[in-house]
Structure formats: structure tokens, C-alpha cells
Amino acid sequence: MTNPTLPALQTGAGIARLTGAIITPIALVMVGATALVWVSLPAVPSTDDWVTLAVTAAFVPVLAGIGLPLLVVGARRLARLRRVMREGVPVAAVITAITGLSTDPDERGASRIDLAVPAPGGGTVNARVRQVVPLPLVKFMAPGVRVPARVDPADPTVAVIDWRFAEPRERIAGSVLFDLAAGLIS
């Protein structure tokens, strides 16, 4: 059996990492732009020159303050989710709430899905995942639906839905009927 993988852009953590990877280099470019503005100042700078320098320099900490945390936190969270996908315990979780679900292929993003996950000692724990729901399954996702998930054995509140094993409800019932009919015929 091959190792399951978790594509980066299928999770909120991957999207955060990508956003940070885009914003952080822009902050570095802004450092260069600030240096160019500084070098290009005339011998006697006007007020407009100082304002241009201040505005250019102000973008650096703002962009770095947004981009670096997104990059670091997103990368760490994505690494943890990938580890859970590879080494986590498979469970059948139940969707308790779902938001951000879209059937439009051009406007799909990571949905926030709240799950009731079976706890190791009995009972359930709540887990929240941010993942992109595969387009063929979007119309079947609703509260009360069982989905295959993998959870961190050390912390069952960290979960990943394993979409490889999720099937539409009609398909499951249809395949059982098909198997029964095929068994009767042969």
C-alpha cells in the first residue's frame, strides 16, 4: 500500500503557507525599494521625498509581520497534518457542522468542517479541519454524514479527512445492490 499524501493546497494550513511564501518575498523586495528610494533622494529632500521613503519603509514590517508568521505557522501545521495523514489512526468521524462549501468549481476553497471523532477511551471529541471537499462529494457533505478520517493518536482533536475513502451515499447503496445482484446471477 502506498503512503497517503495530503496535497498542500487542500488544507487551510497549505493555503496559509502559500500566502506567506508570496508575501514574504514581497517584503524583501520592499526592502530593496526602500533602499532605492533612499539612494535616489536629492541632496536636499523635499517633504514629498521623505513621505515616499516613509511609506515605502512602512510596508516592510507590515508585509513581513503578515508573511513570515503565515509561512512558519502554515508550514508547521501542514507538516503535522501530513504526518497525521501518514501515521494517524483511521476512524469514521461524523460531520457536526460545515461552512464554506461551494459547488462552483471556480470559487472553491477550504471548507471548515467540524467533526465528532471517536476518542480512544470511548465517547467522542470534537475536531475542526479546514480542507477542500472534492467536487464530486460536495453535494453529499452535510451534518450527520460519516466520513473517513485519520487522527493523531496523541491528540484526537487533530484530524484529517481521508477523501480517498469517502464515497457518495448513493454509490455505496448502489454498489451493494449491484454486488448482491451480481452474486445472484453468477
Side-chain angles (χ1 to χ4, degrees), residues 103-129:
T103 57
D104 185 357
D106 295 330
E107 294 187 16
R108 295 180 60 238
S111 300
R112 189 179 76 203
I113 306 168
D114 294 333
L115 300 171
V117 177
T124 60
V125 292
N126 294 325
R128 176 172 284 169
V129 299

Side-chain angles (χ1 to χ4, degrees), residues 20-103:
I22 292 170
I23 293 176
T24 302
I26 292 172
L28 295 175
V29 168
M30 291 302 291
V31 169
T34 303
L36 285 174
V37 169
W38 177 260
V39 169
S40 67
L41 286 177
V44 180
S46 69
T47 305
D48 288 344
D49 294 332
W50 287 114
V51 168
T52 302
L53 180 65
V55 168
T56 307
F59 275 108
V60 173
V62 170
L63 291 174
I66 294 169
L68 284 174
L70 282 174
L71 183 63
V72 172
V73 172
R76 290 188 70 192
R77 176 92 173 127
L78 183 61
R80 183 176 189 188
L81 293 176
R82 284 182 170 165
R83 182 185 54 76
V84 169
M85 189 67 172
R86 280 189 319 272
E87 303 166 5
V89 177
V91 297
V94 177
I95 296 176
T96 57
I98 187 165
T99 58
L101 202 57
S102 174
T103 57

